[in-house]
Amino acid sequence: MTLAAVCLTAVFQIVQNQDWGYRPVQDIGSVRAEDPLLLALLRTPLSLYVPALDLPVWGALAQVLLVFGIAEICLGRWRTLLIAYAATLAGTLYARVGIALGPDSPLGLPASDALVVDTGPSAAVVALAVYVCWRYRARWTAALVVVAMVVEVLIKNNLAGKEHIAAIAVVLAVIAVQEWRGRRPGQRGVEPRPGTRSWKPPIRS
């Protein structure tokens, strides 16, 4: 899955930089807040693999290879794709809400951002990094990723930065739900006792 994602991102980058390829890529994988909602939702899965034109593509490919690869190994293919898609969708929907709130709101965006293409694979990369760090108890690393994204917004207050924050918010909500479910009575497993071969308590006669 990770290699397919890297190859697809590379193909989109090559095609969209051709005179004949820019418009087709925009039509199938670029999402803007000005687009009709249904059209944006249809384009969102492929928007995961359309890198930003104003950033070096090698950085995007390295991020996808490293973070998607680790996530696929640690979480499995389908959970990785689900979290990546949820993060991308969160950014897509946030852009519309932010523009509706307007630039005077701390969470708002200027109307001109309706013309800006969504962040591409980076929101999914950030969300997967935070989720994998939480899953494997790398709490300081997860906190560092979150702080880095907040600093990005404070320094460069643009659509991409705020979409990263929206992606983090969604994955933190998923983490909170999983933590809550894990703490419910009867949800925790029984610790193994010495001499037993399973997580089940020994049978007593």
Side-chain angles (χ1 to χ4, degrees):
M1 184 273 293
T2 299
L3 293 178
V6 171
C7 291
L8 191 57
T9 303
V11 168
F12 274 134
Q13 173 66 11
I14 293 170
V15 171
Q16 73 178 353
N17 279 286
Q18 308 301 316
D19 293 337
W20 54 266
Y22 175 77
R23 179 49 54 191
V25 171
Q26 296 295 302
D27 290 341
I28 66 173
S30 291
V31 178
R32 297 176 177 84
E34 68 169 357
D35 297 333
L37 180 58
L38 180 58
L39 180 61
L41 294 176
L42 291 174
R43 289 176 175 174
T44 297
L46 282 179
S47 73
L48 266 167
Y49 311 107
V50 178
L53 284 168
D54 58 341
L55 296 176
V57 67
W58 300 112
L61 293 176
Q63 288 180 354
V64 172
L65 179 62
L66 181 64
V67 178
F68 273 63
I70 293 173
E72 184 178 6
I73 293 169
C74 296
L75 308 175
R77 180 181 308 162
W78 297 113
R79 183 173 293 183
T80 298
L81 285 175
L82 181 62
I83 293 171
Y85 179 72
T88 304
L89 183 61
T92 296
L93 297 178
Y94 160 73
R96 295 169 181 272
V97 174
I99 290 170
L101 292 173
D104 295 331
S105 170
L107 299 178
L109 296 167
S112 59
D113 280 350
L115 304 175
V116 179
V117 177
D118 279 357
T119 183
S122 59
V125 165
V126 170
L128 285 170
V130 172
Y131 187 85
V132 171
C133 288
W134 165 79
R135 186 74 181 269
Y136 287 88
R137 301 298 186 257
R139 302 294 173 82
W140 286 107
T141 306
L144 182 62
V145 174
V146 175
V147 170
M149 294 301 102
V150 172
V151 171
E152 177 192 16
V153 170
L154 294 177
I155 294 176
K156 190 176 182 181
N157 188 12
N158 58 9
L159 176 61
K162 289 190 173 181
E163 285 188 343
H164 294 162
I165 298 298
I168 290 174
V170 166
V171 82
L172 290 179
V174 171
I175 289 171
V177 170
Q178 292 188 1
E179 288 279 1
W180 174 74
R181 291 183 62 186
R183 291 194 175 101
R184 290 174 58 191
Q187 294 294 316
R188 290 184 177 179
V190 180
E191 296 291 332
R193 295 181 61 181
T196 62
R197 296 184 179 180
S198 71
W199 290 91
K200 297 180 180 179
I203 298 174
R204 296 179 180 178
S205 57

